[in-house]
Amino acid sequence: MIDIKNTNYDLLQKQLSSLIEDETNLIAILSNASALINDNMDKINWVGFYLIEENELILGPFQGHPACVHIQIGKGVCGTAVSTNETQVVKDVHQFPGHIACDANSNSEIVVPIHKDGKIIGVLDIDAPIKNRFNDQDRIGLEKIVSIIENQI
Ligand code: SME
C-alpha cells in the first residue's frame, strides 16, 4: 500500500485566496494556482488547466512535463468532464475508455470543470503516477479550489 500524504485543503484554499485576491488576469491566476497545487499535493506528476477555445480544449498554464495541446470536447477525461459538466475521478486511467495519455507516468486522474457566468470555460486537471490517488476528500477540496478561482475570474 502506497502512503499518500493528505492534502491540507483548508490551508491550500486560504493560500490560494490570498495569492490571487488582487489579481484579475486569468493566465496569472491559473499559473500561480497550478504552482501552488503542485507544491502542496503529494504523489502527483502533472497539474494544470485546459481552456475552451472554439469548441475544443486548449492547454493552459500547468506544472509538469509538456502535454497535448488540443483535446476535443467529449474525448478523454478532460473532454468528458466538459461534456458531462461533472468532476471526473478516475482510479485507473488505463481502464477509462478514450483516456488521452499525455504523460506515460500517469495512472490516475481528477478533472474538475471551471465555470464563468454559468458556462464551462475549462477544466483543472491533475494526474498522479499511482492508481487510486484521488478520493472524495480530494474531489471536495479541489472543487472548492476551483470555486475560489471562479469567484476571481
Ligand atoms: N489525460 C487527459 C489529457 C490531459 S493530460 O493528462 C495532461 C485526458 O484524458 O483528458
Side-chain angles (χ1 to χ4, degrees):
M1 189 65 197
I2 297 167
D3 206 28
I4 304 164
K5 190 170 168 282
N6 283 337
T7 304
N8 184 340
Y9 282 106
D10 278 348
L11 183 61
L12 189 57
Q13 287 149 11
K14 287 193 183 93
Q15 286 175 322
L16 180 65
S17 296
S18 62
L19 191 62
I20 68 176
E21 65 184 350
D22 296 322
E23 200 45 76
T24 55
N25 181 280
L26 180 64
I27 299 302
I29 289 170
L30 299 183
S31 300
N32 266 338
S34 67
L36 187 69
I37 295 169
N38 194 45
D39 278 350
N40 286 280
M41 285 189 78
D42 189 31
K43 307 226 168 33
I44 64 171
N45 58 302
W46 199 92
V47 47
F49 296 89
Y50 281 88
L51 297 170
I52 298 177
E53 250 178 67
E54 295 180 7
N55 212 31
E56 65 173 348
L57 285 163
I58 305 280
L59 182 64
F62 70 95
Q63 304 274 306
H65 290 306
C68 34
V69 175
H70 300 265
I71 297 176
Q72 302 310 306
I73 309 293
K75 302 285 182 200
V77 187
C78 292
T80 301
V82 174
S83 59
T84 59
N85 196 14
E86 271 176 14
T87 298
Q88 304 293 305
V89 181
V90 180
K91 291 178 176 190
D92 179 355
V93 294
H94 306 288
Q95 304 297 322
F96 188 96
H99 165 254
I100 300 161
C102 289
D103 184 336
N105 287 326
S106 299
N107 275 305
S108 58
E109 182 163 1
I110 184 166
V111 180
V112 183
I114 305 170
H115 305 87
K116 184 178 175 159
D117 303 327
K119 277 173 57 184
I120 295 201
I121 60 149
V123 296
L124 164 65
D125 178 17
I126 308 180
D127 287 4
I130 56 171
K131 287 182 184 163
N132 212 5
R133 164 65 182 81
F134 305 103
N135 59 25
D136 225 39
Q137 237 81 54
D138 295 296
R139 182 183 60 74
I140 292 164
L142 291 166
E143 286 178 346
K144 182 75 205 298
I145 290 286
V146 164
S147 76
I148 293 167
I149 293 171
E150 287 172 339
N151 288 332
Q152 197 66 28
I153 59 178

